[in-house]
Amino acid sequence: MPRMIRLFGAAAFALAVLSGAPAWAASPADSPVNVPEPEGFWTGPPKAYTPKTLTGATVVDIDALDRLVAAENPVMIDVAMADQKPVGFPTDRPWLPAHRSIPGSVWMPGAGAAPMEPAREAQFLARVADLTGGDKTKPVVTFCHPECWGSWNAGKRLIQNGYTRVYWFADGVEGWQDRHDTTILKVDAAWAAKPAGEAQR
């Protein structure tokens, strides 16, 4: 039976990839396929099975994250995309989505995109530098939702730019809320502003 489950999972994943549909959410350890790390950033569908590792970073589960938060108060960066207004949403009703996340986190939707415009990438790195006080040894945790390549890319981007204590919480908001309360976050104001190079456009 376990072999049949693995075969079904792998087949479903292949079908999702071929059809362009996103794979269902699961933690890296639950993935029925062994996803290798890409050499660079992931530029495929943002929602799909992810690797179990991120070279240069520490992958943490909720237990490890709890210990890290209690001991070192890391910078927590949520890169989940904002909800999009559903097609056919009534025009006479206000669209008021609420993004729930880990309390104390900084929400920068799309900060794990790849490729990313140089000005936008510089803006992301400048914001993280501000949040860490310019200390590249300060722990930084990237996350979004389970099977989210954006959080993997964001962590990799920090590693490539000299951050030495990057943590990837692959289970994301859902992994947190299995044990803790979440809170409603607004988009980080500094991230929401246009990059300096686009200010006059």
Side-chain angles (χ1 to χ4, degrees), residues 15-198:
L15 179 61
V17 172
L18 290 173
S19 65
W24 63 82
S27 69
D30 295 332
S31 298
V33 290
N34 184 22
V35 180
E37 291 190 36
E39 291 185 7
F41 295 110
W42 172 258
T43 59
K47 183 73 171 176
Y49 288 126
T50 51
K52 298 178 182 180
T53 58
L54 171 53
T55 300
T58 301
V59 181
V60 291
D61 59 12
I62 187 60
D63 291 326
L65 182 61
D66 280 346
R67 292 191 295 269
L68 182 66
V69 169
E72 301 196 61
N73 189 31
V75 173
M76 304 282 292
I77 300 177
D78 181 351
V79 302
M81 296 298 294
D83 289 337
Q84 299 298 309
K85 183 184 292 188
V87 176
F89 188 86
T91 57
D92 59 344
R93 291 173 54 190
W95 169 243
L96 301 171
H99 179 67
R100 302 202 68 89
S101 188
I102 300 174
S105 299
V106 178
W107 183 28
M108 292 190 271
M116 181 180 283
E117 291 291 331
R120 194 62 164 157
E121 182 176 50
Q123 183 181 18
F124 170 68
L125 295 172
R127 184 63 178 124
V128 176
D130 180 56
L131 293 168
T132 59
D135 181 4
K136 291 190 174 182
T137 66
K138 184 172 179 62
V140 181
V141 180
T142 63
F143 68 95
C144 51
H145 299 290
E147 300 304 334
C148 166
W149 276 97
S151 57
W152 191 93
N153 280 345
K156 188 176 186 72
R157 186 166 280 125
L158 294 176
I159 293 163
Q160 289 186 346
N161 283 274
Y163 286 85
T164 59
R165 298 188 63 202
V166 175
Y167 295 82
W168 179 38
F169 182 46
D171 293 335
V173 176
E174 289 75 7
W176 174 270
Q177 68 185 12
D178 283 345
R179 181 176 296 178
H180 305 292
D181 290 334
T182 56
T183 190
I184 295 176
L185 292 185
K186 292 185 177 181
V187 178
D188 180 64
W191 175 247
K194 287 185 177 181
E198 299 182 2

